[in-house]
Amino acid sequence: MQIDYSKRIFGLDLMRAVAILFVVFSHALWIVPELPGLPGELLRLMGVLGVEIFFVLSGFLIGRILLRQFSEGYNKQGVTYFWVRRWFRTLPNYYLILFVNIGIVLFMGRNLPDGLWKYFLFFQNAFSSMDIFFTESWSLPIEEFTYLLAPILAWALWKFFKLKAQKAFLYTAIGMIVFGLLTKVFYQTQVAESDMIFWNTELKAVMIYRLDAIFYGMLGAYAAQYFADFWTRNRWILFLLGVLGMLLISFGIPMLGWFIDSHPWVWNLGYLPFCSLVIALFLPMLSAWKTAPRIIRGAVTRISLISYSMYLLHYSVVLQLLKYFLPTERLSLIDKGMYVLVYLSLTFVASYVLYRIYERPMMNLRDHRLVKRYFQAP
């Protein structure tokens, strides 16, 4: 795998690599559900934080693209080209693995979900929890509809309110964050139950309540460009605040006894926005971390590159097939440890193959002359 490190930022690759490793390791709990105490709790936390890191990082990267591409103003051809590039990046892998999941379900003799059509339009978790089919896909509608909404809303503010392009971007991000908070207020007052399983499926993984998640990263992109001195000068202070915030999320909330049954407002209103803010505090330092020793840089960058394939493959494909052919119920704890190693190894190998033979070639089409000819802004 040839990598042009001059075009990459190690700190952001590290952020993506940590995110996918958190998610992949957390699903080892399907193999060892009886894992007791702190290790089990940390794996559950890693599963939550991994996806939240992806959201903030995605917002930061997409925000920088939007600010650069529309620095002077928004135009139809530029917006279309932005969408085309994003869709070449996300849709081919998604639809391929969606069909693979359909094949797996039919092979196992199970019933496909009644709302299968929703998966093709990214509506599977638009307003309520989704079926257990292709469960890790819950985050992708949030990503796709953010990519769709962000330039449309910014264009509307720029066009009809005559705002400068960067201000339209800023107000879009702030407005969507406020919208996200208001939906959580609605959830707290109308829907909430004091149960973590319900919270995990009906709030954390429902698109209408989570559209704000990526816009925290977009605010970071705006701060990095228009408050660059503050962003650079205070990056270590912000990093330390991020560490303190992460300690509060990981250990402080349990120590304070702020559990959902006694403090539902903490989880329903504050937990997810606070996670996003804390993760965003790491961006100034990580975005300035350009490189690292060769052996570390190579490993981190490669994991970062195959992270999307890993996300789509690791659970519903690799782990589900493993569990089908090699059930774990009667295995000893030592055997389950070996099982986890097999699961991780297969995930890395399958993801690398998918990236090389399919994901990367599909992404390369973004730069094909015909795509640029018909979609790129002049």
Side-chain angles (χ1 to χ4, degrees):
M1 185 186 298
Q2 296 295 321
I3 302 172
D4 185 355
Y5 290 104
S6 66
K7 296 181 179 180
R8 307 196 66 85
I9 299 175
F10 174 78
L12 299 182
D13 279 334
L14 177 63
M15 200 172 180
R16 187 182 290 107
V18 167
I20 190 58
L21 291 177
F22 274 14
V23 172
V24 170
F25 276 104
S26 73
H27 283 137
L29 283 171
W30 196 16
I31 301 170
V32 197
E34 71 274 20
L35 194 65
L38 184 61
E41 292 303 319
L42 286 178
L43 284 179
R44 291 180 182 89
L45 177 66
M46 286 164 62
V48 174
L49 290 179
V51 180
E52 300 307 311
I53 293 171
F54 272 127
F55 284 153
V56 174
L57 177 60
S58 178
F60 182 70
L61 296 173
I62 293 302
R64 295 200 310 177
I65 292 171
L66 288 172
L67 285 170
R68 180 173 63 250
Q69 187 167 339
F70 303 106
S71 59
E72 299 299 325
Y74 296 86
N75 59 80
K76 180 180 178 181
Q77 194 171 8
V79 170
T80 303
Y81 186 55
F82 167 79
W83 286 333
V84 166
R85 288 189 63 83
R86 294 314 306 162
W87 290 334
F88 269 114
R89 172 71 179 87
T90 59
L91 298 189
N93 252 20
Y94 172 79
Y95 284 116
L96 174 65
I97 304 306
L98 175 58
F99 281 111
V100 169
N101 273 276
I102 292 172
I104 289 173
V105 169
L106 295 176
F107 169 77
M108 292 181 176
R110 299 174 183 170
N111 294 323
L112 292 168
D114 293 334
L116 181 62
W117 64 271
K118 296 179 182 179
Y119 288 80
F120 289 90
L121 300 176
F122 293 95
F123 284 149
Q124 61 261 44
N125 61 328
F127 302 105
S128 61
S129 60
M130 55 189 280
D131 194 274
I132 59 172
F133 170 79
F134 198 7
T135 52
E136 65 269 41
S137 72
W138 71 266
S139 67
L140 300 177
I142 299 168
E143 296 261 2
E144 294 302 325
F145 276 94
T146 298
Y147 302 153
L148 192 66
L149 285 172
I152 291 176
L153 294 175
W155 172 85
L157 291 175
W158 171 77
K159 178 72 173 180
F160 297 110
F161 294 92
K162 307 304 180 183
L163 296 175
K164 291 183 178 179
Q166 63 269 26
K167 292 297 181 183
F169 174 93
L170 174 63
Y171 294 156
T172 295
I174 293 174
M176 289 303 299
I177 288 172
V178 171
F179 173 79
L181 294 173
L182 290 176
T183 61
K184 293 175 182 63
V185 170
F186 172 83
Y187 178 90
Q188 167 67 16
T189 57
Q190 302 293 326
V191 183
E193 291 187 15
S194 299
D195 178 83
M196 282 304 298
I197 296 176
F198 189 88
W199 177 89
N200 191 63
T201 58
E202 297 292 344
L203 176 67
K204 181 182 75 68
V206 173
M207 183 180 67
I208 192 66
Y209 301 125
R210 302 307 318 281
L211 283 174
D212 60 323
I214 297 175
F215 286 93
Y216 288 92
M218 290 191 181
L219 277 184
Y222 184 88
Q225 181 156 333
Y226 294 103
F227 296 91
D229 289 342
F230 177 87
W231 180 269
T232 303
R233 187 172 60 251
N234 297 288
R235 63 184 183 275
W236 283 107
I237 295 174
L238 296 172
F239 177 81
L240 292 175
L241 289 174
V243 171
L244 292 175
M246 198 61 68
L247 290 174
L248 177 59
I249 291 170
S250 305
F251 304 105
I253 290 177
M255 290 176 63
L256 292 168
W258 290 354
F259 301 110
I260 195 167
D261 55 345
S262 59
H263 294 75
W265 61 271
V266 171
W267 292 87
N268 298 331
L269 299 178
Y271 184 85
L272 294 169
F274 184 70
C275 279
S276 298
L277 284 172
V278 167
I279 293 165
L281 291 173
F282 290 92
L283 286 170
M285 193 278 286
L286 292 175
S287 63
W289 192 355
K290 302 299 183 182
T291 189
R294 183 175 180 179
I295 188 170
I296 298 174
R297 180 187 63 184
V300 167
T301 303
R302 282 169 171 79
I303 293 173
S304 174
L305 286 171
I306 66 173
S307 61
Y308 185 43
S309 291
M310 288 178 67
Y311 186 79
L312 293 173
L313 285 172
H314 78 282
Y315 189 65
S316 292
V317 177
V318 174
L319 193 49
Q320 183 172 212
L321 287 174
L322 267 177
K323 292 277 286 187
Y324 179 79
F325 289 109
L326 298 170
T328 60
E329 286 73 12
R330 297 184 180 181
L331 296 180
S332 68
L333 191 59
I334 294 177
D335 289 336
K336 287 183 177 180
M338 295 299 297
Y339 199 107
V340 170
L341 293 178
V342 172
Y343 151 62
L344 295 175
S345 299
L346 287 175
T347 296
F348 279 107
V349 172
S351 302
Y352 176 78
V353 171
L354 179 61
Y355 175 82
R356 287 297 302 270
I357 69 173
Y358 184 71
E359 181 183 346
R360 184 72 246 180
M362 294 303 295
M363 282 195 296
N364 287 340
L365 292 177
R366 300 182 299 183
D367 297 317
H368 192 279
R369 59 182 180 83
L370 291 179
V371 174
K372 289 186 173 182
R373 176 182 175 183
Y374 288 106
F375 297 106
Q376 190 173 21

